[in-house]
Structures are given as C-alpha cells and as structure tokens.
C-alpha cells in the first residue's frame, strides 16, 4: 500500500511540475524580445497582446490624455492598448498607474504596473479598480492616461500582471 501511495504522490508531483512549467512558459515571447537590455525609465504600450501590432508609444514621463494632439501618446492611441511595459528604474515613483479616463481620473478605475512585473502581455485578463459607480471595467483597449506613482499610491486590488 505504501508503494502505491508513493507512486501516486510522485505521479501527482510530476503532473504539477508539468502544469507549472506550461503555465510559466506562457509569458509573452515578443514582449520578452522587446524588453530593453537595461532598465531605461520608460513606459510603453502596443496595440495587440504580447507587445505586437502598432507601437503606440513610450515615454519617461506621464500623459494625461492619450487621445489629444500632444504628449507621447496621441490621437488614436486612446483606448487601443492591449499590452503595456514598465522598464522604469527602481525607487520613488516607479509604478505606472493606467487610468480608464483622461486627466488621471480614477472614478472609472485605474490599474498599477510595478517595475518588477515588467509587462502585461494581455490586458484582457485585467480590470481597472472598481469604479465609483461599482462597475468593473476591463483594461483591454480602454487606457486614456497614465502617470508614474509610488506603490503606496495604489490600492491593494489595483496591481495588474
């Protein structure tokens, strides 16, 4: 009986190991290839998942309106991002807060990307924080502004991955 239990335990651990490997291997290969050789202080966004499609832009600064005609994100960049990257330097305001609305308004929610997370290869699996009307809004194709903040500026449920 002990041998059977040991065999099933070993088999179970092997299956779990294969499952964990398959899950962790899903990280975006294109995002991996676009990661800079060193942290450069930038936030970046792409139109499609896995950092593919149109490169919407990148900046070391903030942008209060991704749809206007000024700043690093302009015109049709508003509400088009499906993947984002934080290659910011560590320390101080090193978290990027992405907002559903322009001018960093949080009434329809926001999502925070820590520098250690590097990127989100698919925003469709993330929601903004709960809005003031109690609604949950998916982040895919719905970012309208961003700014650099500290970890303490983000609520516990606002971190995206």
């Amino acid at each position: 009986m002990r041998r059977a239990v040991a065999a099933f335990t070993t088999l179970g651990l092997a299956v779990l190991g294969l499952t964990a490997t398959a899950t962790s291997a899903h990280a975006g290969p294109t995002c991996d290839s676009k990661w800079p050789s060193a942290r450069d202080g930038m936030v970046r966004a792409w139109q499609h998942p896995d950092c593919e499609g149109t490169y919407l832009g990148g900046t070391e600064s903030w942008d209060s309106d991704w749809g206007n005609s000024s700043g690093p994100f302009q015109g049709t960049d508003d509400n088009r991002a499906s993947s984002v990257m934080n290659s910011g330097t560590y320390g101080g305001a090193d978290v990027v807060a992405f907002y559903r609305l322009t001018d960093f308004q949080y009434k329809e929610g926001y999502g925070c990307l820590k520098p250690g997370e590097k990127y989100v290869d698919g925003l469709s699996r993330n929601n903004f924080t709960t809005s003031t009307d109690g609604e949950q809004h998916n982040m895919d194709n719905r970012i309208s502004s961003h700014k650099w903040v500290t970890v303490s500026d983000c609520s516990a449920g606002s971190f995206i991955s």
Side-chain angles (χ1 to χ4, degrees), residues 26-37 44-53 55 82-87 113 117-123 125 161:
H26 179 63
T30 304
C31 284
D32 280 343
S33 72
K34 292 184 178 180
W35 182 258
S37 59
R44 296 174 174 82
W46 287 266
Q47 178 186 8
H48 296 303
D50 194 20
C51 304
E52 292 186 351
Y55 176 64
S82 288
S83 52
V84 292
M85 181 179 288
N86 176 354
S87 58
L113 180 59
E117 195 65 40
K118 293 186 178 178
Y119 57 79
V120 175
D121 61 354
L123 285 171
R125 67 177 177 267
S161 62

Side-chain angles (χ1 to χ4, degrees), residues 15-95:
V15 169
L16 285 174
L18 291 174
T19 304
T21 302
T23 303
S24 62
H26 179 63
T30 304
C31 284
D32 280 343
S33 72
K34 292 184 178 180
W35 182 258
S37 59
R39 289 192 166 275
D40 56 7
M42 300 281 287
V43 57
R44 296 174 174 82
W46 287 266
Q47 178 186 8
H48 296 303
D50 194 20
C51 304
E52 292 186 351
T54 302
Y55 176 64
L56 301 177
T59 182
E60 295 175 348
S61 186
W62 50 269
D63 194 329
S64 64
D65 188 345
W66 282 25
N68 64 10
S69 60
S70 65
F73 295 90
Q74 298 182 11
T76 60
D77 295 341
D78 185 44
N79 296 319
R80 283 184 64 202
S82 288
S83 52
V84 292
M85 181 179 288
N86 176 354
S87 58
T89 55
Y90 286 106
D94 59 4
V95 176

Side-chain angles (χ1 to χ4, degrees), residues 11 13 25 34 38 46 88 95 106 108 118-119 126-127 130 135 137 147 156:
L11 178 62
L13 291 174
K34 292 184 178 180
W46 287 266
V95 176
Y106 57 86
E108 285 195 24
K118 293 186 178 178
Y119 57 79
N126 289 276
N127 290 323
T130 305
E135 294 293 316
H137 301 279
K147 69 178 175 179

